[in-house]
Amino acid sequence: MSAVDKKAVLANDRFSQPALPSVDQIRAAIPKECFEKNLPLALAYMVWDFILLIFLYKIEPIFELGGLPGMIFWYFIVGMVLSCIFVIGHDCGHTTFSNYQWFNDFIGHICHGMIFTPYWPWQKSHRHHHTYTAHLKKDAGHAWTTEEVWSSWGEFHRFYATKGGFFLMMVGWWFYTIAGIADGSHFWPFSKLFKNNTERIQCVISGLVCVGWATAAFYFFGTFPLWIKFYVLPCIAHSFWLLMITYLQHQTDDIQVYEDGTWGYLRGQLQTIDRPYGFGIDYLMHHITDGHVAHHLFFTGIPHYNLMKATAVIKEMLEPYGVYRYQKSPDFLWQLAALTNRLEYLVGEGTGLLKYAKKKNID
Ligand SMILES: [Zn+2]
Ligand SMILES: [Zn+2]
């Protein structure tokens, strides 16, 4: 047995679990209709989201009466509704919106392009996140911080990576998609994200769609300050929501991250947490919050409107093994603040299993 194999066996022993049901067994237990796409229903959800967005813009003057707090609240809600629309585009990218590839791509470019997200490039990087969830090196959708990386940072870097959580969520989307940290730029056709000319052409097309939407918004709102107010700031609010949701779905004190030799598809996907936010948010956001384990296991199979039916089965099957993660999160903002502050770095690199180092106060 090679040294690498030995290391893998050792690491596997350390977190061995009773044999879990296989992905195929879980799939077989889920009602078949959960895997069926319903195009009229998918379109109805999309139209509903757009009606909600238009309504919010119509009633914006009421929020202005509340001054700065009123407007912050407005942006908070607008960011959420834009994220609902984003989830529709997310289904398009996973081909669960309709059975027609061209139609998925068309709707995806509407729902993502309008939030300055290049549809095809993000579809690619997001699929990578799904394919290698919780793999230290390959799941670049999450910038895992290891002990080694953490120790190379100065005080300021450590401060904004933890205490600056909220601010990072607001700008993180642009660092990720434009600057390309860590998957490569989603807007630059020659970035490391793209492997062939088809992908590079797709990058240019999706990028131009984003520019087209931003330009249309500029002419629609008429002036630069209004464009900032009604287009740029809502996009930033969307960044906050999307990154908060993503963070909370994959980060908690006992999350496990794996390496080559110990990572496995099911094991990786189960490092996902279902978090009901309450207040109707889960319904509005098409269950990206409380049906995320089901989404991760069958990301190209289950449309958003069937996630909760599948979740009930998954919960029943996996809960006895202690591997179904669920946490009620009506205090999601507080949880985000607490976790970004608390979860500093992963320890155990090289052993096959990484976990968060616990601070003394939570030991
Ligand atoms: Zn995910
Ligand atoms: Zn997904």
Side-chain angles (χ1 to χ4, degrees), residues 147-220:
E147 193 172 9
E148 194 186 341
V149 171
W150 177 263
S151 55
S152 72
W153 286 352
E155 276 308 311
F156 179 66
H157 200 152
R158 290 179 185 186
F159 179 82
Y160 79 68
T162 51
K163 309 276 187 302
F166 271 44
F167 175 72
L168 281 182
M169 299 286 151
M170 284 189 252
V171 294
W173 190 236
W174 321 111
F175 274 110
Y176 181 62
T177 55
I178 300 176
I181 302 167
D183 270 338
S185 174
H186 290 54
F187 283 92
W188 175 240
F190 298 102
S191 83
K192 65 177 179 184
L193 180 60
F194 309 110
K195 300 285 176 264
N196 55 53
N197 283 341
T198 307
E199 290 176 1
R200 290 184 190 103
I201 291 166
Q202 286 181 329
C203 164
V204 173
I205 294 170
S206 295
L208 286 173
V209 170
C210 293
V211 173
W213 272 104
T215 310
F218 184 81
Y219 282 104
F220 183 78

Side-chain angles (χ1 to χ4, degrees), residues 129 250 292 296:
H129 158 63
H250 292 285
H292 205 63
H296 256 267

